[in-house]
Amino acid sequence: MGTLTIATFVTLDGVMQAPGGPEEYRDGGFEHGGWSFPYAGEAGRAVVEEAFSRADCFLLGRRTYEIFAASWPNFPGDDDPVASRLNTLPKYVASTTLTEASWQPTTILRGDLGAEVADLKQRHDGEIQVHGSASLAQALHGRGLIDEYRLFIEPVVLGTGKRLFEPGATPTALQLVETRPLDRGVLFAVYRPAGAPTYGEFQMEEGLGLPEQPDT
């Protein structure tokens, strides 16, 4: 039984749009493309490479797939731990508009997302990895299909852009299973779904109020 994981770079205010470059994803008039570049470092790369070593296949949204397909096949050297996995392992693209995929091996998933992911989990024993793919990530979250969230939280606020959890996202409690400080103020955090949120109320105990201030 495979597990579905998502890894993404996010700002402190949750934006995940276009971390890789200025022209990567300008939808909505986004002007901050490439915001992640100043925070890249060796520690972060080591985490990424270790994660890719566990991949059994990749599940991507159409836009992320097209960005990857335009660059990774040209990456020199088959011994690179990221490029070698992306270029050789099965890739699945959730899209109703993509008509063909030249970056092989690739399968286009056009059916019901829940059914397609359930089938992938049956056919793969390792990790089904989602990287980026904001719209796909939101759809997977809404259906309760993500088994693990791997977030590279970077010390910047953009105030605009597509977020991992948009307003109206399905309420979900998450369990923190790992944190790791990386280079340049980046925090790597891993969460797993923990059911629905629980609620309560803070009540002030008698005698524990704010201390009285002396008269002046």
Side-chain angles (χ1 to χ4, degrees):
M1 188 75 173
T3 58
L4 193 147
T5 68
I6 176 167
T8 187
F9 303 100
V10 294
T11 67
L12 283 176
D13 55 337
V15 175
M16 61 180 292
Q17 185 173 348
E23 303 301 326
E24 185 178 57
Y25 187 4
R26 287 189 172 273
D27 282 23
F30 189 68
E31 298 179 349
H32 302 288
W35 53 266
S36 182
F37 177 79
Y39 307 104
E42 290 302 315
R45 180 172 179 81
V47 172
V48 170
E49 291 179 352
E50 192 276 332
F52 270 84
S53 71
R54 298 195 302 269
D56 201 48
C57 67
F58 301 100
L59 172 62
L60 304 170
R62 178 187 61 82
R63 185 179 297 275
T64 298
Y65 174 82
E66 290 177 337
I67 292 170
F68 281 14
S71 57
W72 284 109
N74 303 318
F75 196 94
D78 293 335
D79 57 345
D80 181 85
V82 175
S84 61
R85 308 292 282 181
L86 283 170
N87 288 327
T88 59
L89 291 180
K91 294 167 282 289
Y92 300 92
V93 189
S95 176
T96 58
T97 59
L98 190 66
T99 57
E100 60 181 28
S102 59
W103 187 26
Q104 295 301 319
T106 294
T107 301
I108 302 173
L109 306 180
R110 306 186 189 278
D112 176 77
L113 184 61
E116 297 281 15
V117 170
D119 182 61
L120 289 181
K121 288 188 175 184
Q122 290 295 327
R123 291 193 284 123
H124 291 275
D125 293 328
E127 291 187 3
I128 304 162
Q129 293 189 353
V130 179
H131 294 275
S133 307
S135 296
L136 173 62
Q138 292 160 11
L140 292 168
H141 172 80
R143 291 166 173 79
L145 296 172
I146 299 176
D147 298 306
E148 191 167 276
Y149 300 79
R150 298 170 182 166
L151 308 181
F152 294 82
I153 305 168
E154 305 194 338
V156 60
V157 173
L158 299 181
T160 184
K162 184 163 283 191
R163 289 167 167 79
L164 175 58
F165 302 110
E166 294 283 8
T170 301
T172 306
L174 298 172
Q175 177 188 8
L176 179 66
V177 297
E178 180 184 354
T179 57
R180 195 184 312 179
L182 303 178
D183 306 293
R184 301 168 188 172
V186 178
L187 180 66
F188 177 63
V190 180
Y191 295 91
R192 292 174 187 158
T198 57
Y199 306 95
E201 181 180 358
F202 289 102
Q203 295 183 345
M204 188 70 70
E205 295 183 26
E206 185 176 353
L208 295 181
L210 294 174
E212 293 183 4
Q213 299 298 317
D215 294 333
T216 57

